[in-house]
Amino acid sequence: MLFFSKKKPTLKDLIPDNYIDIHSHLLPSLDDGSTSIENTLAMTAALRTIGFSQFITTPHIIQHVWENTSEQIITTKNNTVAALQAHQFELPFKAAAEYFMDDNFTHLVQDQNLLTLKDKYVLVEMSYINAPIQLYSILFDLQVAGYIPVLAHPERYLFYHTNTAEYRKLKKAGCKFQLNLLAVTGYYGKQVANVAEELLQGGLYDFVGSDVHHTNHVESFNERVKIKDLSPLKEIIINNNFFAFE
Ligand SMILES: [Fe+2]
């Protein structure tokens, strides 16, 4: 009797044709993402062939590192859209930001000056090494100001790997969770893939994002998915339809 072992699909295979991405670094020269408009064009065109149909790109805003303002981001986005159109690239493309939860972020929240993914949904991140001491008060103040935090790549915060109970606490504190798609291919290592699988099984994720910074990330969509159960992943990919803007 012949035995066929079923191969896992590639990540690319799981991306539907109308996929809406809510996390990437495709604006040139604003952060550690795209390095030029040519680089942006190449990555965006490659992602389109995978199934990406709408882009909400999210440059970092980190005090003392990437001090982008809303105005700089919007200006760069407008210039980028014009350059894309000049190359017959007409897909919907808009900009928000990925906010590092630091002192500067607290001021921006008070000023009600955040670039959102949609309505009041704000993409936030923190250090991979440790959470800010005032994390829960930042999350509280953000919601008092009317915003909804979408925590980028919870699976990548190493300090939670030995304390996964904290993830439920973050959800109770009002965070939505955004999985980095590449995590399920093992791109960030086995441990991150395992935590991603645990969070998927626990139903803790709300949305997904590519978090594409460079062509290596784009090419890694050809890798096979390493997790066992694909159904919760497929569900949250569909959830991204919520962010459709055209
Ligand atoms: Fe990011």
Side-chain angles (χ1 to χ4, degrees), residues 59-113:
H60 289 290
I61 297 184
I62 307 177
Q63 197 169 24
H64 309 308
V65 184
W66 304 110
E67 299 199 322
N68 293 308
T69 64
S70 297
E71 293 72 24
Q72 284 166 332
I73 290 173
I74 294 304
T75 301
T76 308
K77 187 270 292 177
N78 290 339
N79 294 339
T80 302
V81 167
L84 290 171
Q85 280 171 349
H87 289 79
Q88 282 75 51
F89 192 99
E90 303 286 349
L91 286 190
F93 194 98
K94 76 173 194 180
E98 181 180 15
Y99 292 96
F100 195 93
M101 290 186 279
D102 53 22
D103 289 344
N104 174 54
F105 178 65
T106 310
H107 294 306
L108 293 173
V109 172
Q110 283 162 2
D111 296 345
Q112 292 272 326
N113 187 21

Side-chain angles (χ1 to χ4, degrees), residues 122-139:
V122 177
L123 188 65
V124 293
E125 67 168 338
M126 57 186 149
S127 156
Y128 295 132
I129 313 298
N130 54 280
I133 298 166
Q134 70 285 30
L135 173 61
Y136 285 95
S137 92
I138 295 173
L139 292 172

Side-chain angles (χ1 to χ4, degrees), residues 7-213:
K7 269 192 174 172
K8 291 276 180 217
T10 65
L11 180 56
K12 189 174 69 174
D13 294 334
L14 296 181
I15 306 296
D17 284 343
N18 59 351
Y19 171 66
I20 294 155
D21 194 47
I22 63 167
H23 184 171
S24 65
H25 301 269
L26 294 171
L27 294 181
S29 310
L30 286 184
D31 61 8
D32 53 347
S34 171
T35 51
S36 64
I37 192 68
E38 291 75 20
N39 192 204
T40 299
L41 272 164
M43 290 196 282
T44 319
L47 291 168
R48 175 163 64 173
T49 66
I50 295 173
F52 287 50
S53 68
Q54 299 189 24
F55 295 85
I56 305 173
T57 197
T58 49
H60 289 290
I61 297 184
I62 307 177
Q63 197 169 24
H64 309 308
V65 184
W66 304 110
E67 299 199 322
N68 293 308
T69 64
S70 297
E71 293 72 24
Q72 284 166 332
I73 290 173
I74 294 304
T75 301
T76 308
K77 187 270 292 177
N78 290 339
N79 294 339
T80 302
V81 167
L84 290 171
Q85 280 171 349
H87 289 79
Q88 282 75 51
F89 192 99
E90 303 286 349
L91 286 190
F93 194 98
K94 76 173 194 180
E98 181 180 15
Y99 292 96
F100 195 93
M101 290 186 279
D102 53 22
D103 289 344
N104 174 54
F105 178 65
T106 310
H107 294 306
L108 293 173
V109 172
Q110 283 162 2
D111 296 345
Q112 292 272 326
N113 187 21
L114 300 182
L115 291 172
T116 61
L117 299 168
K118 176 185 175 175
D119 304 334
K120 298 295 251 181
Y121 287 76
V122 177
L123 188 65
V124 293
E125 67 168 338
M126 57 186 149
S127 156
Y128 295 132
I129 313 298
N130 54 280
I133 298 166
Q134 70 285 30
L135 173 61
Y136 285 95
S137 92
I138 295 173
L139 292 172
F140 181 79
D141 292 345
L142 183 61
Q143 289 170 92
V144 168
Y147 293 106
I148 301 162
V150 179
L151 182 64
H153 38 64
E155 68 283 348
R156 296 196 65 193
Y157 302 115
L158 306 179
F159 50 90
Y160 288 144
H161 289 187
T162 49
N163 181 18
T164 51
E166 198 70 15
Y167 286 119
R168 289 192 186 274
K169 197 174 158 194
L170 284 165
K171 292 288 292 195
K172 275 200 182 140
C175 278
K176 305 291 180 193
F177 280 3
Q178 175 256 301
L179 166 74
N180 266 20
L181 286 164
L182 290 169
V184 301
T185 68
Y187 183 91
Y188 308 106
K190 203 169 177 218
Q191 199 174 307
V192 170
N194 288 342
V195 170
E197 175 136 52
E198 188 180 332
L199 296 179
L200 280 164
Q201 287 299 318
L204 294 185
Y205 285 116
D206 299 279
F207 309 111
V208 301
S210 70
D211 202 5
V212 160
H213 284 70

